[in-house]
Every structure is written in structure tokens, then in C-alpha cells.
């Protein structure tokens, strides 16, 4: 999996397949949260049925010293993969991809996927200086990783803070938001829109909307109309069809797509998407059905005046 | 672990230890979400570092036929453990424990712990009749399990729907709430207060408060004052110190305990608790510090008039 992400031909082909098959309006560059770590030389692999597993979990200051920052040539394979993809895509835009510092740190500290992130939270509270230094380093890697993708032709970027919903707003604001904001600030000069997304993180929406992103992604647990009104008035939202809907039938999918589209009507802008990743058991034809329903019932984007 | 839950002497001793050590105001009966399954004869075990693992995951109607409903004598070991505990506790009340039908079903269907519950959600949508029948059977087991605990001397019960936060409100209302409500209805005649709790489920609070419980548990992700005002006006809340706070120091713990107690002042009632389970790395002395802080800064309960 990680080898595929770092193989320009393979990453490009996998990125293009859903565009060819489903006719979506944009592609997202095929990658994984831990790809910048792999590119930086960290011993990490994706174990089937488990997820990313780190050989030597991050525990102490010495681990920070052996975690490289971004370096010349580190993301050359990514640049080549993006360039190749953009050429093939033609007028279809490509969205760049990266994991936010907190979520990448959680894999490094836990050593693998974890529901409650106990070691990550413990380090945050017991050694905030080390935790902050780790997030700073990971933020630099994320920014370089995203910059590479934009310079190679990506038209927008999305920063995934997948597991940040495990934090209450207080801890997020203090220990995480500044580092996420640094990532958006570091790539502000490249001038593409930035989307920010977390899972089960609606209680953090006001803070997440404030890190310098242009669009906030919303997961499937809440309605777009339930998102804080100040956010809705200020920026477009992305989301949020429940991926489980793709496990049903075409009629249900059409009804649910319409419901989501209608919930996005009064917004400042709405990018239709799932509210989380496609589930493993999904029939690809049901993804096509959802894309067709969006084309049929959606309204073309009009620039806000 | 499951053997300990079904051994009256051991379950009682483990239940009593935190009461002796920390001087808490109530005990909760030592158990696990899957104990009723084990007692009913399902091949389930707790794998260290993983969680409950089911040998033959629930997939089809035939699996429902081999899942027994409650039967005479099935929970005798639980009754013996509770009776023994209540005698030892004296005037300290005991809270009974059970997993709600959805969360128990998720272990049966996934075969073990899962972050996204893809198989559970797929069954819910593809075969709602089978899913409903499974939750009904599990609800009967949960009700019998709780009734056993109350008849043996428990003064209150808590129903944990740990993973229900994975659902949007729509699906929860349709496929889960009726079965949870059946559990509370089935034990209404025993006349003890019922607490209901889910993790990351604040978006479901209005529906969860409506299943017949008397108290709603709130996890650490939101403030008590952020809970829906209609719920706050109607019932006491339980919660919600972030368990990560116990990883810090006494001064931080005292400050955070006071903050949580203050957030509960205007409520119809507040049962101080953590907003999720104690994290593995926690120093037991820090639990004692939290209990002492509650005793120092909390106000004794006064009956609402």
C-alpha cells in the first residue's frame, strides 16, 4: 500500500480509476496519512485489516531527533505522481492530500490505530513541550508534502485530522489548533483552496474552521444544517452522505443524495462528498449511482457575490 | 477476564477494590459488555490488547437461532456476585451494569472491536428485519441481566451503548432507540433509577434521553452546559471529567474537577463521574485525588423540588 503511494505510475493509476469509473468532478490524490513518514524514512507499514503500524513508536526526545524534517528530494516520487495524474486528468481538478499533525502523531505515538489514543493524550498532558515539538515537525512535513502536490499541479488541498474528535475543545485549542494553523499558513502562498476535515469532530467545528482553511468537511453524524451558524455563514461545507447509504439500493441512494443536497442549499457553498471513507463492503456501482444522483439533482456552483 | 466476571467471589472483590481504595460514593458492578453473551453460551473471549472477540461472528438468520434468549439460572453467578457485593458494601449503593443491544450486536457482527462498524451498519441497512430481531434478543438478555442485578440488591442500573455514536440520529431513531427503550421498559417495574451512556454520542443526546432512562451520561468531548437545554431541564446528567486529566498532577486534577462541578451547578442534578473509562496508564493515586476533590468541592445532593 505505502509502496503504491510512493510509485508515481501506480499512485497516478489508482487516483484516476474512480474518475474514469464514476465520472466524479474532481480527483483526490491516492495516498495515506503516514506517507510523509514513510518518505522521511520512518519504519511504517500498512498491515492488512489493522492499518498503519510503526515499528518503533515515538516515546521520548531521542525519537524526535531521529525524525527528519522535510528535505530536498524527499517527496520527488509524489511530485512525479501528481504531475502524471494532472496531465491525465486534463480539465478535471486534482485535490492534494495530507494528514494533519495530530492524527499523524497519534499513529507514531500509539504505534498503530487506537480508538481512545491513551498514549497520545498522555504525552500531550505530561510533556506538552515534546508533544508540541513533534506536532511542529509533523506540520513541517505535512506542509512540504502538500506544497509538493500543489507545485506539481494540484488545484486544492485537503488536510485530514481524522482522529482529532477524541479531544475536547479545550485541549484541541491549546495543543493542536496552533500546529494545524501553521500548516495552512505555511502553504498560504501557493494560493489554492484548503479543505479541513475531522471524523466525529462536530464539537470542534468552530475551532477547526479557524485554522486557516477555506472549506470545512463535515462527517455523516450531523446534518449540514446543524453545523455552527457562524461557520455556515462564513465558508462552504463539504460532505456528508453517510457511507452506509452506499450499502443499500439505488432508490435509497437517490433519496439520501437529494436530502444531503437540499441540506446544503442555503449554505455559502456546498461540495458534495461522503461524510467519511467508502466502507469495505461497498459495491462500486452504488458509488456510480450516487455520483449520477448528484449530477441529476445538484446545482452547478455559482461564485458567491 | 470473562471468567472473573462470572465468578461471584472474584467479581465482588474487583467491584469492592475501588470503593475501599478511593472512597467513592457508589460502586459499579464489575462486568463487561459481552458478559450476558458468555453467560448465554456464546463463544466469546477478551483478548488482551484487543478486546472482546467472538469465535463465530453473527451473519445470518441461522446465527439468531443459535443465540439463546434469557433462561432460568443463566445469570445465577451474577446474582450471587451482586448479593455478596451488596452485603460487603453496606450503605454504599451498587450500580448494575449492562451493554445496550446495539453495542453488544456490534461485537457479535464485527467479531471484535471495530472503529467504523461497517458490517453492523451494513446489516442494519440491508437486512433491517434480521438486525431488529438480533437487537430484540439482545435486549431481552440485557433486561434479564439487569433485573438479576437489581433483584440481588443493586440500587440503580447503567446501560452502556458505547459505540452508538457511530450512527447519525436518523438511523439511531429508526433502528436502535426502540430496542433500547424496550430494555428500560422491561425493567421499569423493579423501580430503580436508570442511567444511559454513549461515547461520542452528544449528537444523539435528545434521542438517547428519550428511551426511558432517568439520567443521561455525557462523555468528555462536550461541556455539560452544551447538552441540549431540554434534556438539562428534564433530567440529571452524569459526567464528565476527561480521563486524560488523571494523567496529570493533583493541582490540575483539582482545577478540572472544580470546573466540571461548576458546569453541573445549574443542572436538575449532577452525578460526578469520568466522561469515559480510566485510561490504562493512569496512576491509581490520581483517581483518589479526583475523588477527594469531588468530596471537597462538590455539594451534597438535594432532592429537586
Amino acid at each position: 500500500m505505502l509502496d503504491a503511494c510512493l510509485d508515481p505510475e501506480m499512485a497516478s493509476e489508482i487516483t484516476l480509476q474512480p474518475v474514469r469509473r464514476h465520472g466524479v468532478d474532481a480527483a483526490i490524490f491516492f495516498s495515506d496519512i503516514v506517507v510523509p513518514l514513510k518518505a522521511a524514512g520512518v519504519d511504517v507499514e500498512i498491515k492488512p485489516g489493522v492499518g498503519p503500524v510503526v515499528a518503533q513508536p515515538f516515546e521520548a526526545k531521542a525519537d524526535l531527533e531521529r525524525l527528519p524534517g522535510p528535505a530536498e528530494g524527499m517527496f520527488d516520487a509524489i511530485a512525479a505522481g501528481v504531475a502524471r495524474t494532472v496531465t491525465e486528468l486534463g480539465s478535471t481538478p486534482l485535490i492534494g492530500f495530507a494528514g494533519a499533525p495530530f492524527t499523524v502523531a497519534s499513529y507514531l505515538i500509539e504505534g498503530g490505530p487506537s480508538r481512545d489514543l491513551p498514549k497520545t493524550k498522555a504525552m500531550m498532558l505530561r510533556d506538552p513541550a515534546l508533544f508540541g515539538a513533534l506536532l511542529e515537525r509533523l506540520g513541517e512535513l505535512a506542509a512540504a508534502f502538500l506544497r509538493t502536490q500543489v507545485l506539481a499541479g494540484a488545484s486544492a488541498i485537503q488536510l485530514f485530522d481524522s482522529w482529532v474528535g477524541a479531544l475536547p475543545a479545550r485541549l484541541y485549542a491549546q495543543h493542536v489548533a496552533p500546529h494545524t494553523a501553521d500548516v495552512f499558513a505555511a502553504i498560504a502562498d501557493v494560493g489554492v483552496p484548503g479543505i479541513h476535515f475531522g471524523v466525529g469532530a462536530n464539537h470542534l467545528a468552530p475551532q477547526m474552521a479557524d485554522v486557516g482553511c477555506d472549506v470545512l468537511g463535515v462527517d455523516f453524524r450531523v446534518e449540514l444544517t446543524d453545523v455552527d451558524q457562524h461557520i455556515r455563514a462564513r465558508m462552504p461545507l463539504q460532505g456528508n452522505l453517510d457511507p452506509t447509504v452506499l450499502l443499500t439500493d439505488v432508490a435509497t441512494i437517490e433519496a439520501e443524495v437529494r436530502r444531503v443536497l437540499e441540506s446544503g442549499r442555503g449554505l455559502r457553498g456546498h461540495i458534495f462528498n461522503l461524510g467519511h471513507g467508502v466502507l469495505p463492503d461497498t459495491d462500486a456501482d452504488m458509488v456510480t449511482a450516487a455520483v449520477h444522483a448528484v449530477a441529476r439533482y445538484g446545482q452547478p456552483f455559482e461564485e458567491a457575490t
Side-chain angles (χ1 to χ4, degrees), chain A residues 83-296:
Chain A
R84 193 183 178 103
T85 309
V86 169
T87 305
E88 294 276 335
L89 280 171
S91 63
T92 301
L94 179 69
I95 305 171
F97 170 102
F102 174 82
T103 292
V104 179
S106 78
Y107 285 111
L108 268 182
I109 299 170
E110 305 291 339
S114 153
R115 179 132 54 180
D116 295 325
L117 311 181
K119 292 175 185 165
T120 309
K121 291 170 137 193
M123 187 181 293
M124 176 187 286
L125 291 166
R126 284 178 181 160
D127 195 345
L130 178 62
F131 186 80
L134 172 60
L135 263 65
E136 191 183 329
R137 179 73 48 86
L138 294 174
E140 289 161 5
L141 282 168
F145 183 60
L146 288 170
R147 175 178 292 274
T148 298
Q149 295 175 63
V150 175
L151 295 181
S155 305
I157 62 97
Q158 180 157 353
L159 189 67
F160 287 77
D161 213 351
S162 306
W163 309 136
V164 81
L167 299 178
R170 227 163 353 101
L171 295 178
Y172 176 77
Q174 189 181 347
H175 297 284
V176 177
H179 301 289
T180 306
D182 282 349
V183 177
F184 280 105
I187 58 163
D189 63 303
V190 297
V192 302
I195 308 164
H196 192 35
F197 175 68
V199 178
N202 190 52
H203 62 293
L204 305 177
Q207 285 91 346
M208 290 181 75
D210 235 29
V211 292
C213 61
D214 304 289
V215 174
L216 188 68
V218 179
D219 99 340
F220 59 87
R221 287 172 177 82
V222 296
E223 310 300 329
L224 296 178
T225 47
D226 287 338
V227 173
D228 183 276
Q229 59 170 330
H230 301 292
I231 301 172
R232 280 184 281 135
R234 207 172 100 208
M235 59 174 63
L237 300 182
Q238 175 182 282
N240 72 341
L241 184 72
D242 190 333
T244 54
V245 169
L246 299 182
L247 300 168
T248 61
D249 50 73
V250 175
T252 307
I253 290 169
E254 293 200 338
E256 287 294 308
V257 165
R258 288 184 79 162
R259 207 181 52 74
V260 171
L261 287 169
E262 272 154 30
S263 76
R265 287 274 192 267
L267 300 175
R268 203 174 159 78
H270 175 211
I271 300 170
F272 184 92
N273 199 352
L274 297 186
H276 198 178
V278 173
L279 293 168
D281 276 351
T282 307
D283 175 350
D285 286 345
M286 296 299 112
V287 178
T288 308
V291 174
H292 286 176
V294 175
R296 190 167 320 126

